[in-house]
Amino acid sequence: MPFQNGDRLKIQMPFMKEPFYGILWSEMDGNGCWYHLIDRNEKAENGVDLSYMEFNSICEGYCTLDWVERAE
């Protein structure tokens, strides 16, 4: 992940009318696996999951890191 925990990020995919802005929240679980989410607050309760190469099953074919950038 080229961003750090707490960075403000922007996601803008081709089908989105408006970008999604949020804070990166990263955490390692008990098995040593990292999870990365962007949420509008720092609790990562309803954010966008960046833990995998694709966003989710709805957005298949869109690589996570291709559409995420640091927000201004």
Side-chain angles (χ1 to χ4, degrees):
M1 179 64 66
F3 307 107
Q4 295 186 8
N5 194 33
D7 284 353
R8 182 166 159 73
L9 302 178
K10 169 185 154 181
I11 300 171
Q12 178 72 57
M13 298 176 75
F15 59 83
M16 297 171 71
K17 291 181 182 179
E18 298 290 325
F20 179 88
Y21 291 92
I23 306 296
L24 178 64
W25 177 81
S26 299
E27 182 175 84
M28 185 183 345
D29 69 11
N31 295 318
C33 297
W34 280 96
Y35 293 92
H36 308 283
L37 296 102
I38 297 177
D39 203 347
R40 286 192 166 92
N41 61 47
E42 295 182 15
K43 296 180 183 176
E45 295 169 345
N46 296 309
V48 176
D49 190 351
L50 301 178
S51 303
Y52 307 99
M53 288 300 292
E54 294 182 345
F55 273 102
N56 60 36
S57 60
I58 297 170
C59 304
E60 287 183 28
Y62 290 99
C63 181
T64 299
L65 295 179
D66 288 344
W67 304 101
V68 178
E69 62 186 82
R70 209 173 298 281
E72 298 180 12

